Amino acid sequence: MKKRNWYLIFGSVLAGIVAAFIVMGFIWTPYDPTEMMTGPKFDAPSLEHIMGTDNFGRDIFSRILQGAGSTALIALSTVLIGAAAGIFVGAVTGYFGGIVDEALMRFNDALTAFPSVLVALVVVGVLGGGKYNVILALGIVFIPSFARVSRTAFAALRNVNYVKSVRLMGANPARIICMHILPNTMSVLLPAITIGFNNAVLAEASMSYLGIGVKPPDASLGYMLSEAQGMLSLAPWYALWTGGVIVVMIFAVGLIGEGLQRRGKEGL
């Protein structure tokens, strides 16, 4: 009897709950997240404001709903850009090898040589802050890691028997890469995507914490955590709720990643 993958089960349930709240935040919030003086300042959690209010009287629960959605959207977009470009580079270098591999991977190594956050800060410094520039900056930063993982996976599969067979049958490289190799690399790429998502959440939170990410009055978990730092003595619940949401989001996706890794090992 096959063992249940509890990591994947618990991670999926927890991620589903977080996703439900994020979707709710896009559709409805109890109060306007950006409107000031909707309640008393530094109000403790109560029936009216279940997570309390901040220094402007804004409902923290409403802002967390919006902030979690903003952070998740940035992380997903970042991973989409990084994974799409990185997997393309890794597929080409891993399948063809030779001079193509050398040229692209040396460029990849050059990007990796610089601290990722520093590269993101430089891009944002040139383009300016804001949600879309943060997505672009972090997307560029994440390309090398996905390229390296996918290159290893494609290089390992390019000479297996079923790939040799379809090559002898006259299939072109694009078809072989997309239809025959890529589906068999998912056991490696999916865990890498979950790790990338968590890293993107932390990177976005760090940049917003430094004030160069999402611009106020829009909410972001990182920016809210920066705000909460100055209110620890007056409203400690602000930092606890905001930091707790970041931890739960990362923990849920981390469980899914661990579950996918274990499932991939069982399938070997």
Side-chain angles (χ1 to χ4, degrees), residues 111-123 137-138 140-145 199 203 207:
L111 282 178
T112 309
F114 296 96
S116 57
V117 175
L118 178 60
V119 175
L121 289 174
V122 169
V123 174
L138 292 179
I140 293 172
V141 165
F142 277 53
I143 291 173
S145 59
N199 289 337
M207 295 179 73

Side-chain angles (χ1 to χ4, degrees), residues 4 12 21 129 190 235 239:
R4 289 187 178 181
S12 299
F21 277 103
L190 288 178

Side-chain angles (χ1 to χ4, degrees), residues 87-88 91 95 154 172-186:
I87 291 172
F88 174 78
Y95 181 79
F154 275 83
N172 61 61
R175 179 178 177 83
I176 294 173
I177 289 172
C178 295
M179 302 298 295
H180 299 283
I181 300 181
L182 181 60
N184 291 291
T185 62
M186 287 297 105

Side-chain angles (χ1 to χ4, degrees), residues 75-86:
L76 285 171
S77 301
T78 294
V79 169
L80 181 62
I81 294 172

Side-chain angles (χ1 to χ4, degrees), residues 21-22 25-26 28-38 49-71 214-228 231 238 241-242 245:
F21 277 103
I22 289 174
F26 284 118
W28 171 86
T29 55
Y31 298 88
D32 187 338
T34 60
E35 185 180 355
M36 298 183 182
M37 305 307 175
T38 56
H49 300 281
I50 60 174
M51 290 186 178
T53 61
D54 64 7
N55 56 321
F56 292 111
R58 296 172 296 192
D59 181 63
I60 292 175
F61 180 59
S62 298
R63 286 185 62 73
I64 282 181
L65 288 177
Q66 186 189 67
S70 179
T71 297
V214 176
K215 296 294 186 181
D218 292 336
S220 162
L221 294 180
Y223 183 77
M224 290 170 64
L225 201 58
S226 177
E227 285 184 324
M231 310 175 198
Y238 193 5
W241 286 120
T242 307
V245 170

Side-chain angles (χ1 to χ4, degrees), residues 230-262:
M231 310 175 198
L232 288 175
S233 59
L234 296 171
W237 51 85
Y238 193 5
L240 289 173
W241 286 120
T242 307
V245 170
I246 295 175
V247 170
V248 170
M249 187 183 296
I250 290 174
F251 181 63
V253 178
L255 285 176
I256 293 175
E258 179 65 23
L260 290 171
Q261 283 184 325
R262 288 173 179 263

